[in-house]
Amino acid sequence: MRNSQTEYDLRSQRDLKQIWQSVLGQLELKHSASIINTWFNNTKLEQIDQETAIITCRSPYTKDILQKRYQQTISDYLIKLTQKDLKIKFKIEEQPTKPAKGPLFDQIPSHNSHPSNNISSTTPFPQHNLITRYSFNNFVVGNCNRVAHAAALAVTQQPGNAYNPLFIYGGSGMGKTHLLHAIGNHLVESKLVEKIAYFPVETFLNDFVNAIRFNKTVPFRKKYRENDCLLVDDIQFLGGDKVSTQEEFFHTFNKLYSQTKQIVICSDRPPSEIKQLTTRLVTRFAGGLMVEITPPDFETRLAIIQTKASDLGLELNTETAEFIAQCAGSSIREIEGLILKIRSELLVQDLSPTLGTIKNLLNQNHAPEQVKKRLTPEHIFQLVNEQFGTTMSQLCGRGRKAEIVVPRQIAMYLLRNDLGLNLELIGELIGGRDHTTIMHGSEKISRLLQKKTRPVTEAVRTIRHQLY
Ligand code: ADP
Ligand code: MG
């Protein structure tokens, strides 16, 4: 752990890179991944001298946007991290005249490089529309995302042939966008396919509307249909009363699919639950492999906390990491936010990351919102009872009817999995049961969830939605 800001060597490229990663991390808490992707993907903290920080980007337009919209926030974070009263300067990075190898993507003509509504539908995807720091290497694998991770990896081995389409769904902040970019980055490296396009489906929607408006459907189709791999994010936004956009997407999908081009789609819910999505799209989306990412269990939260903290140069002992894991909610985005906040508080107050200091930090008034007071056994019992219409005395009692046993076992599962409580304690909480009963009960639910047994899966999902 760096105890004070002066320990950053501002002449070292490695430290500058780390500072910039922290700034981007902070920005990501405020803005969506697509914004960060659009404006910050090729930015770099090039240099810091006594009073100036120089940030480079690739185009005058990006420079303009960064200055207008993000200068103040960037400046605040940088000052906080370096404890220097820095002014910010944006600079356009000098680019090598020619790309080192043949272009993997269409080059954008320079006069077209300003994204503006009426021309974006004619502009091919820029070469760098993948977030390079989202890779398989820094994706922590746990029970919640093991299948999705394996499927994503398989897709990179045999694009178009392993699972097509691959449909990944799960709640916000669970790592879907990270996996999409990891697939793209891996494919870029392996050169198995050439043209890879990542886009949130809203981009498709906007482009389509503009294409119609400005009579540019031919370049629009070229942009979306002439790709070897489509990575489509947040497809749930295609739902609703958007008949012609859905139809256009359907044809785009079919064109690529029929040529065995890989399609990977992410969504916050399964296709069947996307409102007003035409049946033929639901069928197409469900026709490949569908995998769910569930909220991370206690062990995975712990691993993520340790990994993210150590990436930031913050070494936490197990006790402290466990405490944070108990406080953190299930969104990995929030967990990252919590770690970043802890780290900047420690830096500013010049403290070491002991259990005591972190407990204090998290209990202060300005404690991060992410500290979920709601993640308690009482709250789990309450939600289970609301879901099933049971009572606490039924959960703790000896009744053997399925209407009581299933909710009781779900409570066992959630207390163990999401709260990380030990078996003995859960036994005490649920009517003084033996730890083997708790183990048996929670494992039974775990198996049912793996097999996607309907009422149980839905109940657990509903309870978790309310819990987090
Ligand atoms: P989603 O698209 O599901 O809302 P993101 O992919 O944007 O979530 O993830 C939110 C943040 O959490 C990102 O910074 C991402 O890198 C991080 N993250 C999510 N899952 C993992 C994981 N398994 N390992 C490491 N980081 C993760
Ligand atoms: Mg996302």
Side-chain angles (χ1 to χ4, degrees):
M1 158 75 193
R2 297 164 193 276
N3 268 329
S4 88
Q5 304 63 39
T6 49
E7 284 183 35
Y8 272 126
D9 177 359
L10 300 180
R11 286 158 310 178
S12 137
Q13 280 303 317
R14 192 168 161 265
D15 281 17
L16 289 178
K17 208 171 159 191
Q18 208 178 66
I19 295 174
W20 192 233
Q21 285 299 332
S22 300
V23 173
L24 293 182
Q26 293 276 2
L27 283 162
E28 237 172 53
L29 298 175
K30 277 190 157 180
H31 305 285
S32 73
S34 46
I35 286 192
I36 305 291
N37 187 19
T38 310
W39 303 121
F40 290 93
N41 201 20
N42 288 306
T43 55
K44 209 165 86 188
L45 176 58
E46 192 180 74
Q47 190 188 328
I48 296 185
D49 62 21
Q50 278 315 310
E51 63 227 18
T52 322
I54 298 181
I55 293 153
T56 59
C57 58
R58 291 270 171 92
S59 77
Y61 186 70
T62 309
K63 183 179 160 204
D64 202 37
I65 295 282
L66 293 178
Q67 258 163 351
K68 283 200 188 119
R69 295 195 202 152
Y70 305 103
Q71 180 151 4
Q72 191 57 50
T73 326
I74 295 175
S75 161
D76 291 349
Y77 290 146
L78 274 179
I79 292 173
K80 203 166 177 187
L81 284 170
T82 59
Q83 295 287 295
K84 276 173 173 277
D85 193 13
L86 294 171
K87 287 198 187 63
I88 306 229
K89 263 195 186 165
F90 293 97
K91 201 177 103 183
I92 298 165
E93 189 187 4
E94 282 160 31
Q95 298 230 26
T97 37
K98 285 226 166 118
K101 292 255 162 71
L104 285 175
F105 303 84
D106 293 353
Q107 295 294 310
I108 315 165
S110 58
H111 65 275
N112 252 3
S113 63
H114 296 190
S116 95
N117 282 345
N118 57 354
I119 58 164
S120 61
S121 60
T122 66
T123 312
F125 287 103
Q127 178 164 357
H128 294 288
N129 87 337
L130 291 167
I131 304 177
T132 42
R133 74 196 158 81
Y134 285 165
S135 70
F136 284 112
N137 289 340
N138 58 10
F139 188 84
V140 178
V141 183
N143 288 336
C144 56
N145 56 26
R146 197 178 305 285
V147 182
H149 174 261
L153 258 184
V155 157
T156 62
Q157 309 300 319
Q158 289 183 294
N161 288 315
Y163 308 113
N164 207 14
L166 171 62
F167 192 100
I168 305 173
Y169 68 95
S172 166
M174 299 292 153
K176 303 181 298 295
T177 299
H178 187 132
L179 271 184
L180 271 188
H181 286 279
I183 294 174
N185 288 319
H186 197 289
L187 287 174
V188 168
E189 259 169 45
S190 70
K191 300 197 166 76
L192 275 181
V193 296
E194 282 206 352
K195 290 188 182 171
I196 302 163
Y198 163 89
F199 57 94
V201 87
E202 290 139 299
T203 310
F204 183 90
L205 278 157
N206 290 337
D207 278 359
F208 182 58
V209 171
N210 285 322
I212 306 261
R213 190 162 150 221
F214 298 102
N215 208 6
K216 296 249 165 88
T217 44
V218 175
F220 168 86
R221 293 200 169 126
K222 190 167 150 58
K223 172 176 178 178
Y224 284 94
R225 297 186 188 187
E226 292 186 9
N227 285 297
D228 301 318
C229 172
L230 278 196
L231 306 167
V232 192
D233 212 350
D234 292 323
I235 197 89
Q236 70 273 8
F237 294 122
L238 193 61
D241 191 16
K242 298 165 188 144
V243 181
S244 39
T245 319
Q246 289 193 17
E247 187 175 341
E248 183 63 31
F249 191 83
F250 177 76
H251 293 303
T252 309
F253 182 101
N254 278 352
K255 164 96 189 319
L256 273 96
Y257 183 80
S258 64
Q259 296 173 342
T260 358
K261 308 288 191 193
Q262 182 66 49
I263 302 162
V264 187
I265 301 174
C266 285
S267 167
D268 70 352
R269 65 202 78 175
S272 57
E273 288 175 26
I274 300 177
K275 281 202 192 90
Q276 287 181 273
L277 186 67
T278 59
T279 321
R280 57 186 186 167
L281 276 176
V282 175
T283 322
R284 287 291 185 288
F285 293 168
L289 179 71
M290 268 211 288
V291 289
E292 181 177 8
I293 303 189
T294 53
D297 56 24
F298 184 75
E299 267 79 28
T300 315
R301 289 209 300 276
L302 198 58
I304 288 170
I305 287 166
Q306 273 161 334
T307 312
K308 302 272 170 191
S310 114
D311 286 351
L312 291 169
L314 180 69
E315 294 310 328
L316 300 173
N317 61 31
T318 316
E319 222 184 357
T320 315
E322 280 179 359
F323 174 74
I324 300 174
Q326 265 151 7
C327 293
S330 73
S331 153
I332 299 173
R333 186 177 294 118
E334 286 186 10
I335 294 178
E336 280 187 333
L338 191 58
I339 299 288
L340 278 168
K341 285 194 180 182
I342 290 175
R343 178 172 172 272
S344 44
E345 285 299 327
L346 291 171
L347 281 174
V348 171
Q349 300 186 31
D350 205 2
L351 299 167
S352 317
T354 61
L355 181 59
T357 49
I358 287 182
K359 272 191 175 166
N360 273 339
L361 284 180
L362 297 185
N363 287 332
Q364 282 165 13
N365 287 344
H366 57 279
E369 301 146 27
Q370 288 85 355
V371 182
K372 293 283 194 261
K373 296 270 181 311
R374 290 175 292 159
L375 219 50
T376 60
E378 293 72 31
H379 194 212
I380 287 187
F381 288 133
Q382 181 200 334
L383 293 174
V384 168
N385 284 331
E386 276 168 17
Q387 176 74 22
F388 291 98
T390 43
T391 63
M392 205 53 215
S393 55
Q394 285 175 319
L395 290 189
C396 293
R398 305 283 134 183
R400 302 289 320 148
K401 284 195 185 136
E403 305 94 88
I404 313 274
V405 172
V406 172
R408 187 184 290 142
Q409 290 178 330
I410 288 182
M412 293 174 186
Y413 169 81
L414 290 170
L415 291 172
R416 185 177 177 198
N417 198 68
D418 292 37
L419 251 62
L421 299 187
N422 67 40
L423 298 170
E424 281 76 16
L425 180 58
I426 303 173
E428 275 171 38
L429 290 170
I430 309 188
R433 290 181 150 76
D434 186 69
H435 73 276
T436 51
T437 314
I438 305 298
M439 191 161 72
H440 166 79
S442 92
E443 279 171 8
K444 177 151 172 235
I445 298 299
S446 182
R447 277 196 303 278
L448 292 175
L449 289 176
Q450 264 162 24
K451 283 195 265 166
K452 301 211 178 307
T453 312
R454 253 280 166 92
V456 171
T457 331
E458 273 163 17
V460 170
R461 185 151 9 109
T462 316
I463 293 171
R464 277 179 170 152
H465 269 305
Q466 294 165 288
L467 195 57
Y468 294 112

